[in-house]
Amino acid sequence: FPNGLENDWDGTMYETLQGIQAADLPCGLQGLELVYTEGAWGEDAVRVLREYAASGEYDVILDNGGAMDNTRPFYQEFPEIMFVIVGTNPSEMVTGGNLYFIDKRLHEANYLQGIIAGMMTETGVIGAVGPLSIDVTNAEINAFIEGARSVNPDVKVKVSWIDSWYDPPKANEATTAMIAAGADQIFMRSDGFEACEEGGIACYGATTDNSYLAPNSVVADSIANWTPEVVWFINQWCEAKTSGEPFSSPDLMYWAGYADGGVSLSDYYQGVPQEVSNKVDELVAGFMDGSFEVVPNYSVPVSD
């Protein structure tokens, strides 16, 4: 967990791995044994991953998509181990062999958050505070912006990056500046909830329930449930082990969305107009039956 368990992305995966039930697991497995390291990036990540692999004690090794380039040079040295990269741009996948890819269609829920923000803004200015600009965070922020513009084409956008996965003071500073620039609806992909609360504006959290951080400001969160992805890669592991064949990852990344139970929008923590709720419900139904799709946009979002 390179970002640490206080980070929503790593924290939700940790909670899933810790809480998954035997009934959810394939091939008769009764549970998972989890060993993890926090805060390893770059050369540290390479060292930790190599140590895990060389020990021979682990069947599956997970790594964050932000460290994929550290995994790529050596995973083939350990063909008996499944390596799983969590979060990546599909164009960067290496298919076949023992390197597998999973992600989360959080951009679906982020689009819905943008719908709410676009319909509820009073200033006509929305914002997004991001951690580091990588494919995953780019796609989430772009979806929020696209959702807002689908219902409010004239909305103005402010985007700020704090260049850190976890730095609440810096995130609050960026949020305060954004509020001063007129934003009254902010997608908080970082940790500036205190400034949202103090500024009396609406915020939208990412990945998990953030309402306790700003009980008067958070309108709705995107919620990640990693169970579908975990069950998928364990099933892939079981199939390889029971067949006696080498690992052979598929051409497509597995990433669960609304229709798979992997993504959802939280309850509304603040009141929203009925027309807003109706619009969100309409699009959720589209996600569920496949009639509506949001294509992830991995380009770097910028302010107007």
Side-chain angles (χ1 to χ4, degrees):
F1 297 113
N3 305 318
L5 298 185
E6 74 278 359
N7 174 269
D8 290 343
W9 183 267
D10 285 353
T12 52
M13 175 58 82
Y14 172 79
E15 291 171 2
T16 296
L17 292 171
Q18 287 286 79
I20 198 164
Q21 301 298 308
D24 295 321
L25 295 174
C27 63
L29 293 175
Q30 295 303 303
L32 303 176
E33 181 180 352
L34 175 63
V35 176
Y36 63 92
T37 299
E38 296 184 68
W41 284 95
E43 293 182 2
D44 273 349
V46 174
R47 175 185 57 79
V48 169
L49 290 164
R50 278 189 175 275
E51 287 177 356
Y52 280 153
S55 73
E57 298 178 5
Y58 306 104
D59 298 302
V60 181
I61 296 176
L62 279 73
D63 194 20
N64 188 288
M68 183 175 61
D69 288 339
N70 296 320
T71 307
R72 200 191 301 264
F74 71 86
Y75 74 93
Q76 292 176 319
E77 298 175 23
F78 304 95
E80 74 284 0
I81 297 174
M82 171 186 279
F83 289 85
V84 180
I85 305 300
V86 183
T88 189
N89 184 333
S91 67
E92 297 180 354
M93 288 175 51
V94 180
T95 59
N98 59 326
L99 189 62
Y100 290 70
F101 294 84
I102 62 173
D103 203 351
K104 182 63 61 187
R105 294 181 184 268
L106 279 168
H107 60 277
E108 294 180 349
N110 304 139
Y111 188 92
L112 300 179
Q113 291 172 306
I115 292 283
I116 302 167
M119 295 181 73
M120 292 185 63
T121 179
E122 296 180 358
T123 64
V125 181
I126 66 170
V129 179
L132 293 166
S133 174
I134 64 171
D135 290 328
V136 171
T137 53
N138 292 348
E140 292 177 25
I141 291 175
N142 280 325
F144 177 78
I145 295 169
E146 290 164 11
R149 284 183 167 155
S150 73
V151 293
N152 189 346
D154 297 326
V155 74
K156 301 300 182 185
V157 175
K158 304 291 183 183
V159 178
S160 181
W161 300 97
I162 68 167
D163 297 323
S164 171
W165 287 114
Y166 186 73
D167 190 338
K170 196 170 182 179
N172 281 311
E173 180 181 352
T175 303
T176 298
M178 197 169 283
I179 295 170
D184 66 346
Q185 309 278 324
I186 297 178
F187 175 47
M188 189 52 61
R189 188 55 178 83
S190 189
D191 306 283
F193 292 99
E194 182 180 345
C196 288
E197 191 84 344
E198 292 178 354
I201 57 94
C203 270
Y204 302 81
T207 313
T208 190
D209 181 354
N210 293 280
S211 61
Y212 70 98
L213 295 170
N216 298 307
S217 293
V218 178
V219 178
D221 290 310
S222 60
I223 302 295
N225 170 26
W226 288 101
T227 300
E229 286 87 353
V230 172
V231 171
W232 175 81
F233 75 69
I234 293 176
N235 191 59
Q236 295 286 311
W237 178 87
C238 287
E239 289 180 2
K241 292 302 181 180
T242 55
S243 70
E245 297 294 325
F247 289 116
S248 181
S249 63
D251 292 339
L252 297 176
M253 173 174 65
Y254 184 81
W255 53 342
Y258 248 98
D260 313 292
V263 170
S264 62
L265 191 69
S266 71
D267 293 336
Y268 300 118
Y269 308 124
Q270 316 297 332
V272 301
Q274 189 63 47
E275 64 175 335
V276 175
S277 177
N278 290 345
K279 182 64 176 178
V280 169
D281 290 345
E282 173 191 334
L283 296 183
V284 168
F287 285 136
M288 297 299 290
D289 66 18
S291 62
F292 182 68
E293 179 184 11
V294 176
V295 177
N297 176 0
Y298 297 110
S299 64
V300 180
V302 295
S303 300
D304 289 331

